[in-house]
Short mmCIF file of all heavy atoms in Angstrom, two decimals:
data_model
loop_
_atom_site.label_atom_id
_atom_site.label_comp_id
_atom_site.label_asym_id
_atom_site.label_seq_id
_atom_site.Cartn_x
_atom_site.Cartn_y
_atom_site.Cartn_z
N GLN N 355 56.57 86.87 55.16
CA GLN N 355 57.92 87.39 55.38
C GLN N 355 58.46 86.86 56.70
O GLN N 355 57.70 86.51 57.60
CB GLN N 355 57.90 88.93 55.40
CG GLN N 355 57.50 89.57 54.08
CD GLN N 355 58.49 89.32 52.94
OE1 GLN N 355 59.52 88.67 53.12
NE2 GLN N 355 58.17 89.82 51.76
N HIS N 356 59.80 86.81 56.78
CA HIS N 356 60.51 86.34 57.97
C HIS N 356 60.16 84.88 58.30
O HIS N 356 60.14 84.49 59.46
CB HIS N 356 60.24 87.23 59.19
CG HIS N 356 60.64 88.67 58.94
ND1 HIS N 356 59.92 89.74 59.37
CD2 HIS N 356 61.67 89.18 58.25
CE1 HIS N 356 60.50 90.86 58.98
NE2 HIS N 356 61.57 90.55 58.29
N THR N 357 59.88 84.13 57.27
CA THR N 357 59.70 82.69 57.46
C THR N 357 61.07 82.07 57.67
O THR N 357 62.05 82.47 57.06
CB THR N 357 59.04 82.09 56.20
OG1 THR N 357 57.65 82.43 56.20
CG2 THR N 357 59.17 80.57 56.17
N ASP N 358 61.09 81.09 58.56
CA ASP N 358 62.34 80.38 58.85
C ASP N 358 62.05 78.88 58.69
O ASP N 358 61.36 78.29 59.52
CB ASP N 358 62.77 80.73 60.28
CG ASP N 358 64.01 79.97 60.72
OD1 ASP N 358 64.57 79.21 59.90
OD2 ASP N 358 64.42 80.15 61.88
N ALA N 359 62.52 78.29 57.60
CA ALA N 359 62.19 76.89 57.32
C ALA N 359 63.45 76.07 57.13
O ALA N 359 64.37 76.47 56.42
CB ALA N 359 61.32 76.81 56.06
N VAL N 360 63.49 74.93 57.78
CA VAL N 360 64.62 74.02 57.64
C VAL N 360 64.07 72.64 57.30
O VAL N 360 63.15 72.16 57.95
CB VAL N 360 65.44 73.93 58.96
CG1 VAL N 360 66.53 72.87 58.85
CG2 VAL N 360 66.03 75.28 59.32
N GLN N 361 64.64 72.02 56.29
CA GLN N 361 64.19 70.67 55.91
C GLN N 361 65.40 69.76 55.74
O GLN N 361 66.39 70.15 55.13
CB GLN N 361 63.44 70.74 54.57
CG GLN N 361 62.95 69.38 54.08
CD GLN N 361 62.46 69.44 52.63
OE1 GLN N 361 63.21 69.26 51.71
NE2 GLN N 361 61.17 69.71 52.47
N SER N 362 65.31 68.55 56.28
CA SER N 362 66.37 67.58 55.98
C SER N 362 65.80 66.17 55.91
O SER N 362 64.88 65.83 56.64
CB SER N 362 67.51 67.68 56.99
OG SER N 362 67.39 66.71 57.99
N ASP N 363 66.34 65.40 55.01
CA ASP N 363 65.96 63.99 54.87
C ASP N 363 67.25 63.18 54.86
O ASP N 363 68.10 63.38 54.00
CB ASP N 363 65.19 63.78 53.56
CG ASP N 363 64.85 62.30 53.34
OD1 ASP N 363 64.44 61.64 54.31
OD2 ASP N 363 65.02 61.82 52.21
N LYS N 364 67.41 62.32 55.88
CA LYS N 364 68.64 61.53 55.98
C LYS N 364 68.30 60.05 55.87
O LYS N 364 67.36 59.59 56.50
CB LYS N 364 69.33 61.77 57.32
CG LYS N 364 69.90 63.17 57.49
CD LYS N 364 70.67 63.25 58.78
CE LYS N 364 71.29 64.62 58.92
NZ LYS N 364 71.96 64.78 60.22
N ASN N 365 69.09 59.34 55.10
CA ASN N 365 68.81 57.92 54.90
C ASN N 365 70.03 57.07 55.21
O ASN N 365 71.13 57.37 54.77
CB ASN N 365 68.40 57.68 53.44
CG ASN N 365 67.08 58.36 53.12
OD1 ASN N 365 66.02 57.85 53.45
ND2 ASN N 365 67.14 59.55 52.54
N LEU N 366 69.79 56.03 55.99
CA LEU N 366 70.84 55.08 56.31
C LEU N 366 70.58 53.82 55.50
O LEU N 366 69.54 53.17 55.65
CB LEU N 366 70.81 54.77 57.82
CG LEU N 366 71.83 53.77 58.36
CD1 LEU N 366 73.26 54.23 58.08
CD2 LEU N 366 71.62 53.55 59.85
N LEU N 367 71.48 53.51 54.60
CA LEU N 367 71.27 52.39 53.68
C LEU N 367 72.10 51.19 54.15
O LEU N 367 73.31 51.23 54.18
CB LEU N 367 71.70 52.79 52.26
CG LEU N 367 71.13 54.13 51.75
CD1 LEU N 367 71.66 54.44 50.36
CD2 LEU N 367 69.61 54.11 51.75
N LEU N 368 71.41 50.12 54.54
CA LEU N 368 72.10 48.97 55.12
C LEU N 368 72.37 47.86 54.12
O LEU N 368 73.04 46.89 54.44
CB LEU N 368 71.28 48.42 56.30
CG LEU N 368 71.04 49.41 57.45
CD1 LEU N 368 70.13 48.79 58.51
CD2 LEU N 368 72.36 49.84 58.08
N SER N 369 71.80 47.96 52.93
CA SER N 369 72.06 46.94 51.92
C SER N 369 72.36 47.63 50.61
O SER N 369 72.13 48.83 50.46
CB SER N 369 70.84 46.02 51.75
OG SER N 369 69.85 46.68 50.98
N SER N 370 72.87 46.87 49.65
CA SER N 370 73.18 47.49 48.37
C SER N 370 71.98 47.44 47.42
O SER N 370 72.01 48.03 46.35
CB SER N 370 74.39 46.79 47.74
OG SER N 370 74.16 45.40 47.72
N ASP N 371 70.91 46.74 47.82
CA ASP N 371 69.74 46.61 46.95
C ASP N 371 68.61 47.58 47.28
O ASP N 371 67.58 47.58 46.61
CB ASP N 371 69.19 45.18 47.01
CG ASP N 371 70.16 44.18 46.43
OD1 ASP N 371 70.92 44.57 45.52
OD2 ASP N 371 70.19 43.03 46.89
N CYS N 372 68.75 48.35 48.34
CA CYS N 372 67.66 49.25 48.71
C CYS N 372 67.80 50.58 47.95
O CYS N 372 68.88 50.92 47.47
CB CYS N 372 67.64 49.49 50.21
SG CYS N 372 69.17 50.15 50.88
N THR N 373 66.70 51.28 47.83
CA THR N 373 66.70 52.53 47.07
C THR N 373 65.94 53.61 47.83
O THR N 373 64.79 53.42 48.19
CB THR N 373 65.98 52.34 45.71
OG1 THR N 373 66.49 51.18 45.08
CG2 THR N 373 66.20 53.56 44.82
N ALA N 374 66.59 54.73 48.05
CA ALA N 374 65.92 55.87 48.69
C ALA N 374 65.92 57.05 47.73
O ALA N 374 66.92 57.31 47.06
CB ALA N 374 66.65 56.24 49.98
N ASN N 375 64.80 57.73 47.65
CA ASN N 375 64.69 58.92 46.81
C ASN N 375 64.34 60.12 47.69
O ASN N 375 63.56 59.99 48.62
CB ASN N 375 63.56 58.77 45.78
CG ASN N 375 63.89 57.71 44.76
OD1 ASN N 375 64.70 57.93 43.88
ND2 ASN N 375 63.29 56.54 44.89
N ALA N 376 64.90 61.26 47.35
CA ALA N 376 64.51 62.48 48.06
C ALA N 376 64.28 63.58 47.04
O ALA N 376 65.03 63.70 46.06
CB ALA N 376 65.60 62.90 49.04
N ASP N 377 63.24 64.34 47.27
CA ASP N 377 62.84 65.35 46.31
C ASP N 377 62.36 66.60 47.05
O ASP N 377 61.17 66.75 47.32
CB ASP N 377 61.72 64.75 45.44
CG ASP N 377 61.26 65.70 44.35
OD1 ASP N 377 61.89 66.75 44.17
OD2 ASP N 377 60.24 65.38 43.69
N PRO N 378 63.29 67.46 47.42
CA PRO N 378 62.87 68.68 48.10
C PRO N 378 62.33 69.68 47.09
O PRO N 378 62.86 69.78 45.98
CB PRO N 378 64.17 69.21 48.73
CG PRO N 378 65.27 68.62 47.91
CD PRO N 378 64.74 67.38 47.24
N GLN N 379 61.26 70.37 47.44
CA GLN N 379 60.68 71.35 46.53
C GLN N 379 60.42 72.64 47.29
O GLN N 379 59.54 72.69 48.14
CB GLN N 379 59.36 70.82 45.96
CG GLN N 379 59.55 69.54 45.18
CD GLN N 379 58.33 69.19 44.36
OE1 GLN N 379 57.22 69.50 44.74
NE2 GLN N 379 58.54 68.55 43.23
N LEU N 380 61.20 73.65 46.97
CA LEU N 380 61.03 74.94 47.63
C LEU N 380 60.39 75.92 46.67
O LEU N 380 60.88 76.12 45.56
CB LEU N 380 62.39 75.49 48.10
CG LEU N 380 62.85 75.06 49.49
CD1 LEU N 380 62.86 73.55 49.65
CD2 LEU N 380 64.21 75.65 49.81
N GLU N 381 59.32 76.52 47.11
CA GLU N 381 58.63 77.49 46.28
C GLU N 381 58.49 78.75 47.13
O GLU N 381 57.67 78.82 48.04
CB GLU N 381 57.25 76.92 45.93
CG GLU N 381 56.59 77.60 44.76
CD GLU N 381 55.28 76.90 44.41
OE1 GLU N 381 55.23 75.64 44.47
OE2 GLU N 381 54.33 77.61 44.13
N ILE N 382 59.36 79.71 46.85
CA ILE N 382 59.46 80.86 47.74
C ILE N 382 59.02 82.12 47.02
O ILE N 382 59.62 82.54 46.04
CB ILE N 382 60.91 81.00 48.25
CG1 ILE N 382 61.26 79.73 49.04
CG2 ILE N 382 61.07 82.23 49.14
CD1 ILE N 382 62.70 79.57 49.38
N ARG N 383 57.95 82.72 47.52
CA ARG N 383 57.40 83.91 46.88
C ARG N 383 57.50 85.15 47.77
O ARG N 383 56.90 86.16 47.49
CB ARG N 383 55.94 83.67 46.49
CG ARG N 383 55.79 82.52 45.51
CD ARG N 383 54.37 82.45 44.98
NE ARG N 383 54.06 81.10 44.51
CZ ARG N 383 52.90 80.49 44.71
NH1 ARG N 383 51.93 81.11 45.36
NH2 ARG N 383 52.69 79.28 44.25
N ALA N 384 58.21 85.03 48.89
CA ALA N 384 58.49 86.20 49.74
C ALA N 384 60.00 86.43 49.67
O ALA N 384 60.75 85.50 49.39
CB ALA N 384 58.04 85.93 51.16
N ASP N 385 60.45 87.66 49.95
CA ASP N 385 61.88 87.91 49.72
C ASP N 385 62.73 87.89 50.99
O ASP N 385 63.92 87.69 50.93
CB ASP N 385 62.10 89.23 48.95
CG ASP N 385 61.33 90.39 49.56
OD1 ASP N 385 60.94 90.26 50.74
OD2 ASP N 385 61.12 91.39 48.85
N ASP N 386 62.11 88.04 52.16
CA ASP N 386 62.91 88.09 53.38
C ASP N 386 62.68 86.82 54.21
O ASP N 386 61.96 86.83 55.20
CB ASP N 386 62.53 89.35 54.19
CG ASP N 386 63.47 89.58 55.36
OD1 ASP N 386 64.47 88.83 55.47
OD2 ASP N 386 63.21 90.48 56.15
N VAL N 387 63.27 85.74 53.75
CA VAL N 387 63.02 84.45 54.39
C VAL N 387 64.33 83.67 54.50
O VAL N 387 65.29 83.97 53.82
CB VAL N 387 62.01 83.59 53.58
CG1 VAL N 387 60.70 84.31 53.41
CG2 VAL N 387 62.59 83.20 52.23
N ARG N 388 64.32 82.67 55.38
CA ARG N 388 65.45 81.77 55.47
C ARG N 388 64.93 80.36 55.25
O ARG N 388 64.08 79.89 56.02
CB ARG N 388 66.12 81.87 56.84
CG ARG N 388 67.43 81.12 56.94
CD ARG N 388 67.99 81.22 58.35
NE ARG N 388 67.35 80.27 59.25
CZ ARG N 388 67.99 79.20 59.78
NH1 ARG N 388 69.26 78.98 59.51
NH2 ARG N 388 67.35 78.37 60.57
N CYS N 389 65.37 79.71 54.18
CA CYS N 389 64.93 78.34 53.90
C CYS N 389 66.15 77.50 53.56
O CYS N 389 66.93 77.88 52.69
CB CYS N 389 63.98 78.29 52.70
SG CYS N 389 62.35 78.93 53.05
N THR N 390 66.32 76.40 54.24
CA THR N 390 67.42 75.51 53.89
C THR N 390 66.88 74.09 53.75
O THR N 390 65.89 73.73 54.38
CB THR N 390 68.52 75.50 54.96
OG1 THR N 390 67.96 74.97 56.17
CG2 THR N 390 69.04 76.89 55.23
N HIS N 391 67.54 73.32 52.92
CA HIS N 391 67.14 71.92 52.80
C HIS N 391 68.37 71.08 52.47
O HIS N 391 69.37 71.58 51.96
CB HIS N 391 66.08 71.75 51.72
CG HIS N 391 66.59 71.99 50.34
ND1 HIS N 391 67.13 70.99 49.57
CD2 HIS N 391 66.67 73.12 49.61
CE1 HIS N 391 67.50 71.50 48.42
NE2 HIS N 391 67.25 72.78 48.42
N GLY N 392 68.27 69.81 52.79
CA GLY N 392 69.37 68.90 52.47
C GLY N 392 68.91 67.47 52.57
O GLY N 392 67.97 67.17 53.30
N ALA N 393 69.55 66.61 51.79
CA ALA N 393 69.23 65.19 51.85
C ALA N 393 70.55 64.41 51.85
O ALA N 393 71.49 64.79 51.16
CB ALA N 393 68.36 64.77 50.67
N THR N 394 70.61 63.37 52.65
CA THR N 394 71.82 62.54 52.65
C THR N 394 71.45 61.06 52.54
O THR N 394 70.38 60.64 52.97
CB THR N 394 72.65 62.73 53.94
OG1 THR N 394 71.86 62.33 55.06
CG2 THR N 394 73.08 64.18 54.12
#
Side-chain angles (χ1 to χ4, degrees):
Chain N
Q355 296 295 359
H356 302 141
T357 285
D358 176 2
V360 174
Q361 179 191 89
S362 98
D363 177 43
K364 292 186 177 175
N365 295 280
L366 179 59
L367 311 178
L368 300 176
S369 77
S370 51
D371 294 330
C372 58
T373 311
N375 292 285
D377 183 8
Q379 300 193 329
L380 272 55
E381 198 175 320
I382 298 169
R383 299 189 204 140
D385 49 19
D386 189 6
V387 302
R388 189 182 80 112
C389 287
T390 64
H391 69 89
T394 62

